[in-house]
Amino acid sequence: MISSKIGHALDPVILGTYRFFFKNRSVNPNILTICGIPFGFAASAFIAFDYMLTGGILLAISGFFDLMDGAVARHMNRVTRFGGFLDSVLDRYVDLLIMLGIFIHFLRHGESFYSIIVFIASIGAAIIPYAKARAEAASLDCNTGILERPERLVILFIGLCFNVLEYAVLILAVLTHVTVIQRIVFVKKNS
C-alpha cells in the first residue's frame, strides 16, 4: 500500500504549499476539506464529457486538498472527530461522483461493458471505507488491504491522463473487492 508506506512523509511538502498559498493565515482544516469538493464535482463533469486530462488534473487538485486538510490539522494540533468524519463523508461524495463521471463517459460512447465495470468498481470503492468503519465500531483498527483511497486516486489519475481509463477501471473493479475481502479476513482473524 502506497499510503501506509509513505504515511505522513509528504507533510512537509504539503505544509510548504499551504504556507505559500495562505501565507501566515490560519485556515480551519475543515475549510480545506470543503475546498476540495468543487474540484471533485468539476472533475466528474469534465470526465463525463470527454475532457479526460482536465478531469485528471482537477481530480489531483481535489486529492491534494484532501492531503492538505489532514497535514494542516496535525500541524496545528486541530485534529478532531468531526474533522475526520467530515473528511470521510466528503471523500465518499467525491469518489462516487468521479465514478459517475466515468460511468457517463462510457455510457455516452455506447461502452456498456465498461459502464458495468465502473459500477462494480464503485461498489468496491464504497464498501472499503464501510468495512473499515464497521471494524472500528467493533474496536478494531482496520487499515489493511492493498487499495486505500490514495492508491485508487493514483490509478484513476493515470487512467485519465494517459488514456488508459479502461484498464484503470478494470483494475479498480478487481482490487477494490480484493481489499474488502482482505478487511473481512482481518476482522475475522482479530475478533
Side-chain angles (χ1 to χ4, degrees):
M1 237 172 26
I2 296 169
S3 48
S4 68
K5 295 201 186 320
I6 294 175
H8 303 304
L10 294 177
D11 281 5
V13 173
I14 294 166
L15 290 170
T17 306
Y18 166 79
R19 288 185 193 105
F20 176 79
F21 283 109
F22 296 101
K23 306 302 177 208
N24 291 324
R25 292 187 297 260
S26 175
V27 178
N28 186 315
N30 294 337
I31 299 298
L32 296 172
T33 301
I34 293 167
C35 284
I37 299 304
F39 291 100
F41 275 74
S44 178
F46 277 98
I47 293 164
F49 293 101
D50 304 332
Y51 296 97
M52 299 305 176
L53 182 59
T54 303
I57 292 167
L58 290 168
L59 175 62
I61 293 169
S62 177
F64 188 74
F65 272 104
D66 188 42
L67 291 173
M68 190 184 303
D69 63 4
V72 169
R74 286 186 295 277
H75 178 71
M76 296 171 65
N77 201 23
R78 294 178 74 175
V79 176
T80 64
R81 285 187 206 170
F82 176 74
F85 169 80
L86 180 68
D87 181 57
S88 183
V89 169
L90 295 182
D91 284 353
R92 300 300 73 78
Y93 273 110
V94 170
D95 289 349
L96 294 174
L97 279 168
I98 295 299
M99 297 308 277
L100 175 63
I102 296 169
F103 178 84
I104 292 169
H105 162 75
F106 285 127
L107 202 61
R108 288 180 61 246
H109 291 278
E111 306 225 23
S112 56
F113 173 76
Y114 285 109
S115 295
I116 292 167
I117 295 300
V118 170
F119 188 76
I120 292 168
S122 299
I123 292 169
I127 299 296
I128 289 171
Y130 178 76
K132 178 180 179 173
R134 292 302 303 151
E136 288 174 350
S139 300
L140 292 170
D141 190 22
C142 185
N143 292 316
T144 191
I146 59 172
L147 213 61
E148 287 274 2
R149 186 167 193 258
E151 290 85 1
R152 294 193 306 268
L153 292 180
V154 167
I155 290 168
L156 285 173
F157 178 79
I158 291 168
L160 291 165
C161 294
F162 296 97
N163 199 27
V164 289
L165 190 56
E166 293 85 354
Y167 297 109
V169 296
L170 283 167
I171 290 167
L172 290 175
V174 173
L175 295 185
T176 55
H177 295 283
V178 168
T179 303
V180 171
I181 292 166
Q182 288 176 309
R183 290 188 173 187
I184 291 169
V185 169
F186 173 83
V187 171
K188 175 67 175 158
K189 283 182 181 176
N190 292 286
S191 294

